[in-house]
C-alpha cells in the first residue's frame, strides 16, 4: 500500500514512486537477487514469477505462512458444526424413528462430520489465501512496468517498494542493475 | 540446499553398503532369523492350539508388507515418478518378502484343517450357506488359487527387481520404458490377487460373513505398513550418511505425506465397511463386529480406531513431524505394530471368542516372520545398489523439493 503522503519514513523516495521494478531472465538470477536484498535488510520487496520457484521463500526470507492454522481452524469449526447440527436436528428439533436407529448416533453422523471438516478446511485455505494476498486485486502499481505482462510468460521480476525503510531510489536501482536486472523502472502509485 | 547455482554442495551418495556394514546387516538379520525359528518352535510346542492362528496373523502381516512394497514399485512406474527412485529401490528390497512368503505358506497347508475348519471340515456339507459356496470354497480350488497368487507375486517381485538392477551398471531408457509398460497391467494382477488372497485366507475364516470392501481394507493396511518401512529405511540411510542427495528430508517428507494419506484411506475404508454393516443391521454381517465388541476384543477394536487412525492422523497432520526423523520414525514403528494388531484383530476373534489371549504362540510366530523378513530383505539390500544408480530420473530425484 502506498503511503498517503507519498514519502517514506526516511524521506528518500519521491512522492510519485511506488516501487522500483527490475526484470530478470532466469529463475537463478532472480533467486540471487532476492537473497541479496534479504541480506541487505530489505523486507518490503516481492518476486513475480511465471511458475513456482522452489526455495524462493527462503531466499526472500519470508516467514512461514499462517495458512495451515487457518485451515486447522476451518476444519475444527466444520467438525464441531457437523456434530452440533446433527445432534440438534436429530435428537432435539425433530426426533424421528428411522429403522430403529437412535435419534442421534455418531456412526451415521460421521459422513457429514467428514464432509463439513473438509469443506470448511478448503474454505479456510481458499478464502484465507484471498485474505492474506488481499485478493481480488485487479490492479497493482507494479503492473505498470512496461514488460510486466511477461511475468506470466518467461521473465522474472523483483519489485522493491518505497515503503521499505531502507528504500532509496537511486541505490535500489543501482543494486538491481548490479544484480543483473534489465529494464529497471520506477512505477508510480 | 538450493541447486539453482548449478553445483550441489551436499556430500555425494554412497552407491552400495560398505562391505563392513553389509556384513553387519547380514549377521544381524541371520541372528533375527535364528531367534525367529527358535521362537516359533517354542510357540508351537508350548501352545500348539493357539499357534496356527498366531502363525496366520503374522504370516499375513509380513506378506502384506511385501505386497505394499510391490504396490509402491508399480505405482512409481505407472506415474513415471521422478522423486522416488531411491524409495522405489527400497520397495524392491521389500518385495523379496514375497518369494519367502510362498515358503512360509507351506505350514499353513498343515494348519488348514484347523484354521478353515468351517468350510474344510465335516459340517461344511450340512450347512446350506457353505454348501452354496462350495464351488469357490473347496480345498482344491483354494490351493490352486494360492499357487496363482504366488506365481503373480514372485514373478512381479523378481522381474521388476531384476529389470531395475540392470540400471545399476548402465543407463538404459528402454528398460525404464518397459517397466512402465508392464507396471500398468501388473496393477490389475496385483489388485485382484491381493483381494482374493484376503478373501481366501482371512475372510473365509468365517465363511458366513462377507464384506465386499475387505480386499481394499487389507490393501490400505498393506500400503501403510510398507510405507512405514520405507520411512524407516529412508531415515536410517540418511542417518548413517549413506544417502545425501537422492534420499533426503524432502523424500522423507513425501513418504510421510503418503503415509498420512494412507492412514486416512485406511480409516475411510474401515469406516465404510463398518458403516454399511451398522446401517443394514443384518445378523450374518453384524456378527463380525459383535464378535469384536465383547469385553477384551472391544479394547483391541478401540485400539485400531485410536491407534491406527486418530493418533497418527493428529501427529502427521503438520509438515514438521513428517520432516523430523525422530517423530516420523516413531510413527512408522508404531504403524507397523498397529498393522500387526489389525491382522490380529481380523484373525483371532474367530478362535478366541471370549477376548484376546495374547501368548507365547503369538510372540513366536511374529518373531519368525520378523526374522524371515529381515533375512531376505537384508540379503537383497546388501546385494544391490542403494538406489538405481543410472536411472534416468536420478537427477530429478536429487532436485526434489517440497514447496
Amino acid at each position: 500500500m502506498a503511503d498517503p503522503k507519498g514519502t517514506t519514513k526516511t524521506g528518500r523516495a519521491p512522492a510519485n514512486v511506488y516501487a522500483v521494478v527490475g526484470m530478470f531472465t532466469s529463475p537463478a538470477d532472480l533467486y540471487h537477487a532476492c537473497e541479496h536484498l534479504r541480506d541487505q535488510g530489505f523486507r518490503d520487496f516481492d518476486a513475480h514469477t511465471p511458475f513456482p520457484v522452489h526455495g524462493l521463500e527462503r531466499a526472500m526470507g519470508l516467514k512461514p505462512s499462517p495458512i495451515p492454522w487457518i485451515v486447522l481452524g476451518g476444519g475444527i469449526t466444520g467438525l464441531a458444526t457437523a456434530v452440533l447440527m446433527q445432534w440438534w436436528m436429530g435428537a432435539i428439533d425433530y426426533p424421528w424413528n428411522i429403522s430403529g436407529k437412535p435419534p442421534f448416533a455418531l456412526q451415521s453422523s460421521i459422513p457429514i462430520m467428514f464432509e463439513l471438516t473438509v469443506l470448511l478446511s478448503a474454505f479456510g485455505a481458499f478464502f484465507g489465501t484471498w485474505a492474506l494476498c488481499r485478493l481480488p486485486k485487479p490492479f497493482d502499481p507494479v503492473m505498470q512496468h512496461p514488460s510486466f505482462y511477461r511475468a506470466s510468460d518467461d521473465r522474472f521480476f523483483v519489485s522493491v517498494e518505497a515503503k521499505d525503510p531502507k528504500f532509496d531510489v537511486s541505490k535500489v536501482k543501482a543494486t538491481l542493475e548490479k544484480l543483473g536486472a534489465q529494464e529497471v523502472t520506477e512505477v508510480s502509485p | 540446499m538450493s541447486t539453482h547455482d548449478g553445483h550441489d554442495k551436499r556430500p555425494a551418495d554412497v552407491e552400495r553398503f560398505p562391505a563392513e556394514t553389509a556384513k553387519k546387516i547380514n549377521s544381524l538379520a541371520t541372528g533375527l532369523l535364528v531367534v525367529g525359528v527358535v521362537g516359533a518352535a517354542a510357540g508351537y510346542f508350548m501352545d500348539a492350539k493357539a499357534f496356527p492362528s498366531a502363525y496366520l496373523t503374522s504370516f499375513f502381516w509380513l506378506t502384506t508388507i511385501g505386497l505394499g512394497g510391490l504396490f509402491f514399485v508399480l505405482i512409481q512406474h505407472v506415474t513415471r515418478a521422478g522423486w522416488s527412485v531411491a524409495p522405489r529401490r527400497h520397495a524392491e528390497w521389500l518385495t523379496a518378502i514375497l518369494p519367502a512368503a510362498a515358503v512360509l505358506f507351506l505350514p499353513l497347508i498343515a494348519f488348514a484343517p484347523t484354521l478353515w475348519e468351517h468350510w474344510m471340515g465335516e459340517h461344511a456339507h450340512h450347512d446350506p450357506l457353505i454348501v452354496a459356496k462350495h464351488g469357490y470354497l473347496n480345498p482344491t480350488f483354494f490351493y490352486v488359487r494360492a499357487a496363482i497368487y504366488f506365481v503373480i507375486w514372485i514373478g512381479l517381485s523378481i522381474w521388476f527387481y531384476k529389470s531395475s538392477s540392470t540400471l545399476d551398471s548402465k543407463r538404459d531408457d528402454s528398460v525404464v520404458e518397459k517397466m512402465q509398460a508392464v507396471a500398468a497391467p501388473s496393477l490389475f494382477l496385483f489388485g485382484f490377487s491381493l483381494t482374493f488372497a484376503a478373501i481366501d485366507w482371512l475372510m473365509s475364516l468365517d465363511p458366513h460373513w462377507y464384506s465386499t470392501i475387505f480386499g481394499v481394507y487389507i490393501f490400505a493396511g498393506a500400503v501403510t505398513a510398507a510405507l512405514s518401512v520405507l520411512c524407516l529405511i529412508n531415515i536410517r540411510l540418511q542417518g548413517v550418511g549413506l544417502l545425501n542427495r537422492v534420499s533426503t528430508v524432502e523424500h522423507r517428507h513425501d513418504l510421510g505425506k503418503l503415509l498420512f494419506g494412507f492412514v486416512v484411506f485406511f480409516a475411510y475404508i474401515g469406516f465404510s465397511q463398518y458403516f454399511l454393516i451398522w446401517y443394514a443391521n443384518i445378523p450374518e454381517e453384524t456378527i463380525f463386529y459383535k464378535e469384536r465388541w465383547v469385553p477384551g476384543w472391544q479394547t483391541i477394536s478401540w485400539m485400531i480406531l485410536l491407534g491406527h487412525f486418530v493418533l497418527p492422523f493428529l501427529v502427521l497432520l503438520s509438515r514438521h513431524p513428517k520432516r523430523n526423523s525422530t517423530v516420523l520414525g516413531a510413527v512408522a514403528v508404531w504403524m507397523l505394530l498397529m498393522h500387526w494388531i489389525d491382522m490380529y484383530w481380523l484373525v483371532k476373534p474367530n478362535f478366541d471368542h471370549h477376548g484376546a489371549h495374547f501368548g507365547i504362540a503369538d510372540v513366536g510366530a511374529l518373531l519368525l516372520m520378523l526374522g524371515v523378513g529381515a533375512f531376505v530383505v537384508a540379503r537383497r539390500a546388501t546385494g544391490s545398489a542403494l538406489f538405481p544408480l543410472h536411472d534416468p530420473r536420478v537427477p530429478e530425484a536429487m532436485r526434489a523439493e517440497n514447496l
Side-chain angles (χ1 to χ4, degrees):
Chain A
M1 288 293 115
D3 190 309
K5 287 196 292 288
T7 55
T8 64
K9 287 167 217 153
T10 50
R12 276 174 296 184
N16 60 343
V17 175
Y18 171 79
V20 170
V21 183
M23 181 179 85
F24 294 89
T25 46
S26 78
D29 291 343
L30 173 91
Y31 192 90
H32 287 302
C34 289
E35 280 182 326
H36 187 82
L37 289 169
R38 175 197 68 192
D39 295 342
Q40 291 277 301
F42 284 95
R43 277 183 291 109
D44 295 307
F45 68 98
D46 210 347
H48 314 268
T49 62
F51 49 80
V53 176
H54 285 235
L56 198 57
E57 73 281 1
R58 283 194 297 277
M60 295 173 67
L62 295 181
K63 288 198 295 276
S65 158
I67 283 284
W69 293 103
I70 299 175
V71 173
L72 183 67
I76 292 173
T77 311
L79 185 66
T81 309
V83 175
L84 288 173
M85 180 183 80
Q86 291 179 96
W87 165 77
W88 182 77
M89 285 174 173
I92 308 293
D93 187 42
Y94 205 80
W96 198 252
N97 185 344
I98 300 165
S99 63
K101 297 287 188 284
F104 173 72
L106 215 47
Q107 287 94 335
S108 54
S109 305
I110 283 179
I112 304 297
M113 285 159 62
F114 170 76
E115 299 294 351
L116 275 188
T117 306
V118 172
L119 181 70
L120 292 207
S121 299
F123 279 176
F126 187 67
F127 294 112
T129 308
W130 276 43
L132 292 174
C133 299
R134 305 212 182 94
L135 293 174
K137 189 191 255 183
F139 173 77
D140 189 285
V142 173
M143 295 174 185
Q144 296 170 109
H145 186 284
S147 301
F148 196 78
Y149 66 94
R150 295 182 77 174
S152 60
D153 182 12
D154 60 351
R155 287 294 184 271
F156 307 83
F157 291 82
V158 166
S159 57
V160 183
E161 290 174 28
K163 69 180 177 194
D164 193 289
K166 285 184 67 81
F167 187 82
D168 182 309
V169 176
S170 52
K171 277 188 189 165
V172 168
K173 284 176 103 170
T175 308
L176 287 179
E177 268 159 10
K178 205 177 80 210
L179 288 165
Q182 302 166 355
E183 299 183 28
V184 178
T185 313
E186 298 158 31
V187 294
S188 56
Chain B
M1 201 170 51
S2 152
T3 52
H4 296 296
D5 49 3
H7 52 267
D8 200 331
K9 295 182 195 76
R10 297 173 292 182
D13 292 320
V14 177
E15 297 189 344
R16 285 162 202 278
F17 282 113
E20 194 73 347
T21 319
K23 225 176 115 189
K24 243 190 259 171
I25 293 173
N26 274 321
S27 49
L28 181 71
T30 312
L32 282 173
L33 179 64
V34 173
V35 171
V37 172
V38 173
Y44 180 71
F45 287 113
M46 289 168 76
D47 196 350
K49 195 165 170 291
F51 193 75
S53 54
Y55 187 91
L56 180 66
T57 303
S58 291
F59 167 81
F60 220 89
W61 178 79
L62 181 69
T63 309
T64 42
I65 293 174
L67 287 171
L70 178 62
F71 173 75
F72 188 86
V73 173
L74 296 177
I75 211 76
Q76 303 315 311
H77 287 307
V78 164
T79 56
R80 304 178 178 193
W83 68 277
S84 59
V85 292
R88 196 192 79 217
R89 165 56 51 87
H90 308 152
E92 286 161 7
W93 297 347
L94 289 187
T95 61
I97 289 170
L98 296 172
V103 180
L104 290 168
F105 185 79
L106 298 177
L108 284 175
I109 298 173
F111 298 147
T114 346
L115 285 174
W116 297 288
E117 65 160 335
H118 292 304
W119 58 268
M120 278 195 184
E122 252 317 291
H123 43 272
H125 305 292
H126 314 299
D127 184 329
L129 274 177
I130 298 174
V131 169
K133 295 180 181 181
H134 183 76
Y136 184 84
L137 276 185
N138 62 76
T140 316
F141 193 25
F142 176 81
Y143 291 121
V144 169
R145 285 195 306 270
I148 294 172
Y149 308 149
F150 282 116
V151 166
I152 293 172
W153 298 343
I154 295 172
L156 293 179
S157 159
I158 291 177
W159 188 81
F160 276 97
Y161 173 63
K162 288 266 182 251
S163 306
S164 171
S165 295
T166 62
L167 298 170
D168 290 355
S169 46
K170 66 170 172 34
R171 176 169 173 168
D172 185 352
D173 292 1
S174 70
V175 172
V176 178
E177 278 157 16
K178 192 153 186 207
M179 285 194 286
Q180 285 165 2
V182 176
S186 301
L187 271 173
F188 281 95
L189 291 175
F190 167 84
F192 281 113
S193 59
L194 180 135
T195 302
F196 281 100
I199 292 171
D200 285 4
W201 302 344
L202 294 188
M203 205 162 98
S204 81
L205 290 169
D206 180 355
H208 282 186
W209 183 75
Y210 57 88
S211 160
T212 45
I213 209 169
F214 193 73
V216 190
Y217 181 83
I218 296 296
F219 162 78
V223 180
T224 322
L227 285 170
S228 301
V229 184
L230 293 181
C231 288
L232 291 174
I233 295 176
N234 169 293
I235 290 166
R236 189 69 190 154
L237 289 179
Q238 286 164 40
V240 295
L242 289 171
L243 293 186
N244 308 299
R245 293 180 181 186
V246 283
S247 178
T248 66
V249 62
E250 302 298 334
H251 306 84
R252 184 192 309 149
H253 187 180
D254 286 336
L255 287 172
K257 283 188 271 189
L258 279 172
L259 181 60
F260 175 76
F262 271 92
V263 161
V264 176
F265 181 66
F266 170 87
Y268 177 66
I269 300 302
F271 174 71
S272 300
Q273 176 175 290
Y274 171 76
F275 186 45
L276 293 196
I277 291 175
W278 179 83
Y279 237 120
N281 212 6
I282 298 168
E284 68 203 46
E285 290 179 354
T286 52
I287 182 79
F288 179 87
Y289 290 104
K290 206 158 178 285
E291 276 177 345
R292 285 159 182 79
W293 207 245
V294 297
W297 285 117
Q298 198 178 17
T299 317
I300 310 274
S301 300
W302 275 112
M303 269 174 88
I304 308 248
L305 173 62
L306 299 176
H308 207 305
F309 170 60
V310 177
L311 181 72
F313 174 81
L314 293 176
V315 173
L316 292 179
L317 191 55
S318 163
R319 94 197 292 254
H320 306 289
K322 292 189 279 262
R323 297 172 76 87
N324 182 304
S325 53
T326 314
V327 179
L328 186 67
V331 172
V333 171
W334 174 257
M335 289 315 296
L336 286 169
L337 175 69
M338 290 316 300
H339 181 53
W340 186 84
I341 290 180
D342 185 31
M343 296 297 111
Y344 190 79
W345 181 78
L346 289 175
V347 172
K348 280 283 184 168
N350 292 300
F351 303 94
D352 299 337
H353 295 288
H354 308 289
H357 297 290
F358 184 75
I360 181 80
D362 301 299
V363 179
L366 179 59
L367 285 177
L368 176 70
M369 299 306 163
L370 261 178
V372 173
F375 185 75
V376 293
V377 173
R379 283 185 67 92
R380 190 176 268 192
T382 52
S384 83
L386 296 180
F387 62 98
L389 303 175
H390 300 279
D391 190 295
R393 294 195 172 101
V394 165
E396 190 183 341
M398 287 182 176
R399 283 197 306 270
E401 231 177 304
N402 289 287
L403 280 175

